[in-house]
Amino acid sequence: MRLTMRSDYGAHAVIELARRAGQGPVQCAEIAASQKIPEAYLDQLLSSLRRAGIIHSIRGPHGGHELARDPRELTLGDVVTALEGPVVPQEFVHGLEAEQNDWQAACAVRDAWHAAAEASQRVLDSTTIQTLVEQQALIRAHRESESTPTSTR
């Protein structure tokens, strides 16, 4: 499994939209600035997420982007699959033809790759966007409390 910057940026954009849920559409420039994502690249990601039904967009001066799904039901796996395709690999260096000729090596390695990819997919599919929003809020609160000077007596 190889997750790219595309998945990372896309996940951060979706988390930002979930964080702002109920506040109206969020413009691409706001998301880009908040998450430090190049705006032109983010625009491409948002188009992919819109085509996958994860977000919807509203045109016009007061338009922007919003989640199309409840963040409690939307998973990180949904976002990654929309941007990268399925995590479980479909092809290997040694395909089924190799398995017929050298079934011990091809089958064992392929099965290990499948098991690793399936485990990764399970983690992505069980991690909701709402959980990530909540974890991010805790991380921010913790960092802010660490940076606040404590009074000495």
Side-chain angles (χ1 to χ4, degrees):
M1 179 180 99
R2 181 172 180 256
L3 296 177
T4 65
M5 189 74 72
R6 183 172 173 83
S7 291
D8 189 48
Y9 281 164
H12 281 89
V14 169
I15 290 166
E16 182 66 17
L17 290 173
R19 191 176 69 80
R20 295 180 180 212
Q23 299 176 11
V26 183
Q27 294 187 346
C28 183
E30 292 178 62
I31 301 167
S34 176
Q35 295 298 318
K36 297 175 180 47
I37 302 171
E39 190 174 347
Y41 190 55
L42 177 59
D43 193 45
Q44 294 173 19
L45 298 177
L46 293 173
S47 291
S48 295
L49 293 168
R50 183 176 52 252
R51 282 190 300 275
I54 292 174
I55 67 167
H56 65 86
S57 303
I58 301 161
R59 294 183 184 266
H62 300 291
H65 309 279
E66 295 177 312
L67 286 182
R69 296 170 53 191
D70 186 324
R72 294 170 296 191
E73 296 173 7
L74 180 62
T75 68
L76 190 54
D78 296 328
V79 174
V80 171
T81 299
L83 296 172
E84 304 281 353
V87 173
V88 178
Q90 301 300 315
E91 297 181 16
F92 297 92
V93 174
H94 300 289
L96 292 176
E97 311 81 42
E99 182 180 334
Q100 291 171 352
N101 297 328
D102 185 11
W103 65 270
Q104 290 175 327
C107 186
V109 172
R110 189 183 69 238
D111 288 349
W113 294 148
H114 264 294
E118 287 170 351
S120 297
Q121 189 70 54
R122 276 192 303 276
V123 170
L124 295 173
D125 289 343
S126 66
T127 303
T128 68
I129 297 302
Q130 184 62 40
T131 299
L132 295 174
V133 168
E134 292 166 3
Q135 289 175 351
Q136 191 63 38
L138 289 173
I139 290 167
R140 283 187 180 145
H142 181 72
R143 285 185 181 161
E144 288 173 5
S145 70
E146 285 183 341
S147 65
T148 304
T150 57
S151 60
T152 55
R153 294 182 189 192

